[in-house]
Amino acid sequence: MTDAPTLHTDRLILRPHRIADYPACRALWADAQVVRHVGGMPLDAQAVWFRLLRYAGMWSLLGYGMWAIEDRTSGAFLGECGLLSAERGLPELEGVPEAGWVLGSRAWGKGMASEAMEAVLRWADAHVDAPSLRCIIAPDHGASIRVAEKLGFVALVDRMLGDTPMRVFDRPRRSPSASRAGGDRPRP
């Protein structure tokens, strides 16, 4: 069994999810503005509960998964980010870890998604045996596309996921030494 490591950035702590995160996760995934580009529909309590259990399962079975994003100063839950295997039926995602991030609106526009995902990608480059990482983003979600491009993802192909258009992005694995430049900062 693999547990999620805790990662630190200047402003954030990326840590394993806890059962105590359930109310904050419910609020995050119930927010229509948050899910507008991530599935389009708010999630009910059971779907969020299963999501939390799935996060633990990914770490246990795959050796990677999602982290809770916490504000280093206040301890507030800001969102989630990490790597997943979602078996979406898209050939471009088969056998390749998928990167993902979702933050509550109070964290939008502050560079927190980029900061969190930079730490995730450094970790992944050093610990995940995959030639690249991929992510999917709705083509009209400019903010997430800008985050992906800043992180080194490039558009690969447009696909339909059910009735929803998605753009698949790819980021080749980098050498761990290159990823360590500006790496995780030790906790003060």
Side-chain angles (χ1 to χ4, degrees):
M1 182 165 141
T2 302
D3 291 324
T6 299
L7 308 177
H8 299 90
T9 72
D10 288 338
R11 299 180 293 169
L12 307 171
I13 298 172
L14 279 59
R15 59 165 176 77
H17 284 82
R18 304 175 187 136
I19 295 297
D21 293 327
Y22 178 60
C25 288
R26 280 186 63 193
L28 177 73
W29 289 101
D31 185 329
Q33 289 293 353
V34 169
V35 300
R36 179 179 50 172
H37 295 291
V38 186
M41 297 294 297
L43 299 182
D44 65 23
Q46 184 182 48
V48 175
W49 179 249
F50 287 161
R51 181 176 286 276
L52 274 177
L53 298 176
R54 190 168 54 237
Y55 294 157
M58 283 189 287
W59 280 104
S60 179
L61 297 174
L62 302 174
Y64 59 81
M66 299 294 285
W67 281 269
I69 305 170
E70 185 177 294
D71 183 287
R72 253 183 112 143
T73 303
S74 70
F77 178 92
L78 300 177
E80 305 171 341
C81 67
L83 306 174
L84 63 144
S85 174
E87 294 298 324
R88 297 181 192 277
L90 296 177
E92 294 81 11
L93 297 179
E94 289 180 19
V96 180
E98 182 182 338
W101 54 91
V102 60
L103 285 85
S105 60
R106 71 176 173 222
W108 293 352
K110 300 176 182 175
M112 291 187 178
S114 297
E115 184 175 330
M117 285 305 298
E118 286 169 355
V120 168
L121 296 176
R122 280 190 304 274
W123 180 88
D125 287 338
H127 299 284
V128 177
D129 186 19
S132 69
L133 301 175
R134 304 249 165 103
C135 66
I136 60 171
I137 303 172
D140 63 344
H141 192 359
S144 267
I145 289 173
R146 285 187 295 279
V147 169
E149 290 172 342
K150 181 178 179 182
L151 296 169
F153 285 90
V154 296
L156 184 65
V157 66
D158 286 352
R159 291 277 184 235
M160 294 298 289
L161 185 59
D163 295 332
T164 306
M166 286 291 158
R167 184 161 296 146
V168 179
F169 290 80
D170 180 75
R171 177 191 172 273
R173 182 179 186 184
R174 297 182 182 159
S175 72
S177 60
S179 293
R180 255 186 241 115
D184 295 336
R185 292 158 185 90
R187 180 184 232 166

